[in-house]
Amino acid sequence: MYNAKAYSAGSASSPLASTRISRRDPAEHDVQIEILFCGICHSDLHQVRNQWQSVMPTVYPCVPGHEIVGRVTKVGSAVNTFKPGDLAAVGCMVDADLTCPQCQAHLEQFCPNCVLTYNGPDKHLGGVTYGGYSDSIVVKDHFVLRVPPNLNLAGTAPLLCAGITTYSPLRHWGVTKGKKVGIVGLGGLGHMGVKLAHAMAAHVVAFTTSPGKKVDAQRLGADEVVISRNANEMAQHTGSFDFILDAVAAEHDINAYISLLRRDGNITMVGAPEKPLPVSVFGLIMARRSFSGSVIGGIAETQEMLDFCGSHNITADVEVIPIQKVNEAYERLLKSDVKYRFSIDMASLKSE
Ligand SMILES: NC(=O)c1ccc[n+]([C@@H]2O[C@H](COP(=O)([O-])OP(=O)(O)OC[C@H]3O[C@@H](n4cnc5c(N)ncnc54)[C@H](OP(=O)(O)O)[C@@H]3O)[C@@H](O)[C@H]2O)c1
Ligand SMILES: [Zn+2]
Ligand SMILES: [Zn+2]
C-alpha cells in the first residue's frame, strides 16, 4: 500500500478538499498510472451530493473522477499490454468478473460484479474505490485503455465517460449517414454526442435551453439548432427523427421529444436526473416509438471509440482548471455554465 494525494468529499453537503488516500501496490495484473488529467462529469456531482441515494448511495469519504488520462509508472509481472512511460486511460469501470454472459459479450458495464471507478466495493483494500481526482491510480490491465498519440490529453480525458456514453448508443441504434439524429442538452455528454454523430455523417440537430450555445453547436457539428423552450421551433420537427439522445441532467419534458420521433424512432436517455420522468404512453404507442436507456459502454467499445476519435481528430472542448477550483466548477455545472467539460490538470495537486 502507498499514499496518494486526492480530493474527497466527507459528506453530501461538504465541499471537496485535499486529503491522502491508500492505493494498493500493483499486483501481477495491475497497471499503476500517474494521473495527468481528469474530467469532471455531472455524475461526479450527483454522487458527491448523494443524489442517486435510492440506486447507489454514496459512501464517504468520496473521491470522484472517472475520466482519467495519465502515464504508466509501474506494471505487474503479468502485464504485457503496457509498460512504464506509456500513455493510458481509465474510464468508469475498474473491475468485473470477466466470465459472465455480459462480460463474454464485451458488455462489462452490465456485469453483476462490475466495479465502478469510485464508490464501488474495493475488494483489495476494503471500503470503496477511489476515483481520478488523485495523483495516481492502480487498475487491472483489462480496464486500462490506449490513448491515440495525436490527441490533446486534457481534451481526451472526457472521452472516457462523455465520449463512450454517447458513442455507444449512437452505434447501437444504427446512426449512420443520412439518419436524422437529435442531441438534447449541450453539456459534457451532449457536445460529444454532436461531434460523434456528425463524424458518423448523420444529420444532427442540437436541442439546447441556452440560446448562447447556438453558434457553438454549429461549430461542434450540428446541422440545425433548436432552442427547446421555443414551442414553434420544436413543432417544426414533429415526427421526423430516427433517433434522439437525451443527455439532460435535470427534470425536463421528455414527451416533447418523443413526439419528434418518426414511426419506430427511438429516444435513449443517458442523462440520469435525480427524479423519475413521466412518460406519455400515447406518445409511444401511436407511432410504435421506443424509449430506452444506455450506460457507458464496454471496454472493447471504449477502445473503438478512442481509436475513432483518434482517426477523426475528436476531443472534448475543455476548460482546464486546477483542482483547487473544483468546488467552483461544480456550482457552474449546475448553471450549465461550462464549455463544454472541465478537465482538471492534476499537476495542481502537487502543491497540496
Ligand atoms: N448513462 C450514462 O452512462 C451516463 C454517463 C455520464 C453521465 N451521465 C449523466 O448524464 C447527465 C449529463 O451529464 P453531463 O456531464 O453531460 O452534464 P452537464 O455537462 O451538466 O450537461 C447537462 C446539460 O443538460 C442541459 N440542462 C441542464 N439542466 C437542464 C434543465 N433543467 N432542463 C433542460 N436542460 C437542462 C444543459 O444543456 P443546455 O444548456 O444545452 O440546455 C446542460 O449543459 C447527468 O445526469 C449525468 O449523471 C450518464
Ligand atoms: Zn461520467
Ligand atoms: Zn461479468
Side-chain angles (χ1 to χ4, degrees):
M1 248 169 31
Y2 68 100
N3 267 336
K5 292 183 177 181
Y7 257 54
S8 74
S11 78
S13 56
S14 37
L16 290 146
S18 182
T19 187
R20 296 287 185 277
I21 56 170
S22 297
R23 298 284 194 194
R24 68 178 184 270
D25 292 317
E28 60 171 348
H29 271 289
D30 284 339
V31 178
Q32 184 190 49
I33 299 163
E34 179 198 359
I35 301 175
L36 299 176
F37 292 95
C38 183
I40 297 181
C41 179
H42 205 112
S43 303
D44 300 351
L45 189 155
H46 288 306
Q47 290 252 285
V48 159
R49 302 197 174 167
N50 207 8
Q51 290 172 350
W52 292 341
Q53 55 186 295
S54 58
V55 269
M56 41 172 101
T58 306
V59 177
Y60 296 95
C62 173
V63 178
H66 56 206
E67 295 185 334
I68 299 166
V69 294
R71 209 169 273 289
V72 175
T73 43
K74 206 172 183 182
V75 298
S77 56
V79 176
N80 46 31
T81 41
F82 290 92
K83 58 179 189 321
D86 287 350
L87 289 174
V90 178
C92 303
M93 303 179 279
V94 289
D95 209 349
D97 56 38
L98 304 183
T99 55
C100 77
Q102 309 294 346
C103 288
Q104 281 172 3
H106 304 289
L107 298 168
E108 299 90 341
Q109 73 272 32
F110 304 126
C111 172
N113 298 305
C114 174
V115 178
L116 297 176
T117 304
Y118 59 86
N119 202 42
D122 186 336
K123 66 183 180 202
H124 303 274
L125 298 179
V128 291
T129 50
Y130 293 138
Y133 295 10
S134 175
D135 57 1
S136 90
I137 192 165
V138 177
V139 178
K140 189 178 194 163
D141 52 1
H142 180 84
F143 295 87
V144 183
L145 287 307
R146 291 183 308 280
V147 176
N150 56 315
L151 298 181
N152 163 278
L153 289 185
T156 297
L159 302 180
L160 278 299
C161 176
I164 184 59
T165 300
T166 49
Y167 182 90
S168 183
L170 289 169
R171 283 286 191 229
H172 180 78
W173 289 97
V175 169
T176 47
K177 188 172 166 58
K179 298 275 178 170
K180 185 171 174 183
V181 173
I183 306 287
V184 186
L186 274 183
L189 265 57
H191 98 290
M192 285 311 308
V194 169
K195 289 189 184 205
L196 292 167
H198 175 72
M200 292 172 189
H203 180 87
V204 183
V205 181
F207 293 90
T208 181
T209 59
S210 310
K213 293 181 182 173
K214 191 163 186 168
V215 174
D216 273 347
Q218 285 160 338
R219 177 181 55 78
L220 296 168
D223 299 286
E224 299 177 65
V225 185
V226 172
I227 306 302
S228 52
R229 294 201 166 118
N230 181 324
N232 288 337
E233 281 189 47
M234 292 287 281
Q236 283 167 26
H237 293 273
T238 300
S240 66
F241 281 89
D242 295 287
F243 178 67
I244 298 177
L245 187 66
D246 186 325
V248 174
E251 275 176 90
H252 60 292
D253 180 12
I254 190 75
N255 300 309
Y257 294 99
I258 289 175
S259 68
L260 303 188
L261 294 170
R262 62 160 173 73
R263 189 199 75 221
D264 290 327
N266 171 270
I267 178 164
T268 290
M269 282 304 304
V270 284
E274 189 176 354
K275 300 206 178 103
L277 298 171
V279 174
S280 157
V281 169
F282 278 90
L284 297 173
I285 62 179
M286 299 314 281
R288 206 164 54 187
R289 296 161 172 144
S290 63
F291 177 55
S292 55
S294 185
V295 71
I296 52 173
I299 292 297
E301 194 175 42
T302 304
Q303 189 63 60
E304 177 189 307
M305 175 276 308
L306 283 168
D307 296 342
F308 179 89
C309 287
S311 61
H312 288 82
N313 240 312
I314 294 174
T315 52
D317 283 26
V318 288
E319 178 177 339
V320 177
I321 59 162
I323 188 116
Q324 292 78 6
K325 291 227 163 135
V326 68
N327 294 303
E328 200 181 300
Y330 275 28
E331 292 313 310
R332 286 181 51 196
L333 208 53
L334 286 172
K335 291 186 247 165
S336 305
D337 174 26
V338 51
K339 291 183 171 174
Y340 279 87
R341 198 57 140 187
F342 292 110
S343 185
I344 306 168
D345 181 351
M346 225 39 90
S348 59
L349 198 50
K350 290 191 199 302
S351 63
E352 296 281 350

